[in-house]
Amino acid sequence: FPKAYKYMIHIRDSIVKTYNKSLQEKLIQIYLADQKDRIEYDKHLSKKHYTDIVLKKATEKLDRNDLNRIGQIDSIIKIHGYPGKSLVGLKYSHYALIIILHSQSNKLINYFNLLEVAVHNGELGKENYSYFVDRFLIGTERRQLFGTQYKIINGEIIIFPIGHPDHLDERRNNFGFPKFKDDLKSLNDEIRKNEMK
């Protein structure tokens, strides 16, 4: 057992050392900027009396920054391909996908094959990929498959239409999701908790 354990640690360490550290740091920087912008944007929407002008300015700023971030991701992809698990590690393998998801919906088609290959090669998790599939379908005015896409209006969750709902939980299970009703309950609990703050 001690020899096997040491060998596993050795393998783990040798894999970790092969990660592209500068690319990890770049992805972290892009991801954190994306999240900061979205928190700021959500603050505008959470105010009871926001004006159309305030919302328009906030939306324009978010769109501008999203465009800049997707440009950075495109540059990374051009050099490295999709920055997945073997290049940056499992923890950071979905960061580029998040930025892609936040790009304009009519541009998502450009990433379809890239992400499909990344999933097939084990560079990106199926669960993360399912968010992309749903967003792509909704963006092309079709029904989502996994129930990952929704909007919140006045504290109420509005789920975008789901195709073949009878098999929803089966699909979700195959892609690593909990049952839809459990996910929805967690989301509702989170909203209620935020309302009480």
Side-chain angles (χ1 to χ4, degrees), residues 129-166:
Y129 177 64
S130 63
Y131 285 94
F132 172 80
V133 171
D134 275 357
R135 185 164 170 107
F136 173 76
L137 290 171
I138 294 299
T140 52
E141 297 181 1
R142 288 180 276 181
R143 294 174 179 268
Q144 59 178 324
L145 292 176
F146 303 99
T148 65
Q149 301 300 298
Y150 59 88
K151 57 186 172 183
I152 299 171
I153 299 175
N154 297 325
E156 186 184 347
I157 302 165
I158 310 295
I159 306 292
F160 286 103
I162 298 171
H164 307 290
D166 293 347

Side-chain angles (χ1 to χ4, degrees), residues 9-187:
I9 294 296
H10 167 72
I11 293 296
R12 184 204 66 193
D13 289 346
S14 64
I15 291 170
V16 168
K17 287 174 188 169
T18 64
Y19 293 153
N20 186 322
K21 300 288 186 195
S22 64
L23 188 50
Q24 280 179 337
E25 288 168 15
K26 183 69 177 168
L27 286 170
I28 291 166
Q29 178 189 8
I30 296 169
Y31 170 77
L32 290 177
D34 173 87
Q35 296 303 294
K36 182 182 173 190
D37 277 354
R38 275 166 171 74
I39 289 166
E40 188 180 311
Y41 184 77
D42 287 345
K43 279 181 186 172
H44 288 293
L45 294 183
S46 66
K47 291 176 184 170
K48 288 186 178 178
H49 302 291
Y50 63 81
T51 64
D52 288 343
I53 294 169
V54 168
L55 182 60
K56 185 175 184 243
K57 283 184 179 177
T59 302
E60 285 172 354
K61 180 184 176 187
L62 184 64
D63 288 347
R64 236 183 357 261
N65 290 347
D66 281 346
L67 193 61
N68 177 46
R69 282 187 285 268
I70 196 63
Q72 293 177 70
I73 293 298
D74 284 342
S75 297
I76 289 170
I77 289 169
K78 213 173 266 186
I79 297 166
H80 301 283
Y82 184 80
K85 187 169 74 171
S86 62
L87 191 61
V88 295
L90 182 63
K91 182 177 178 180
Y92 307 110
S93 63
H94 67 285
Y95 278 21
L97 175 66
I98 289 168
I99 307 306
I100 290 169
L101 287 172
H102 292 158
S103 65
Q104 295 173 344
S105 57
N106 63 341
K107 302 287 185 189
L108 293 179
I109 187 74
N110 300 337
Y111 303 95
F112 212 100
N113 290 340
L114 174 81
L115 296 175
E116 200 169 45
V117 169
V119 171
H120 179 75
N121 293 338
E123 295 296 326
L124 179 66
K126 287 198 303 185
E127 184 180 348
N128 294 320
Y129 177 64
S130 63
Y131 285 94
F132 172 80
V133 171
D134 275 357
R135 185 164 170 107
F136 173 76
L137 290 171
I138 294 299
T140 52
E141 297 181 1
R142 288 180 276 181
R143 294 174 179 268
Q144 59 178 324
L145 292 176
F146 303 99
T148 65
Q149 301 300 298
Y150 59 88
K151 57 186 172 183
I152 299 171
I153 299 175
N154 297 325
E156 186 184 347
I157 302 165
I158 310 295
I159 306 292
F160 286 103
I162 298 171
H164 307 290
D166 293 347
H167 300 286
L168 174 60
D169 281 334
E170 184 183 331
R171 288 192 301 272
R172 286 172 66 88
N173 183 52
N174 290 337
F175 276 70
F177 284 105
K179 288 186 175 182
F180 182 68
K181 67 175 183 180
D182 296 338
D183 234 1
L184 199 54
K185 183 184 181 309
S186 297
L187 186 56

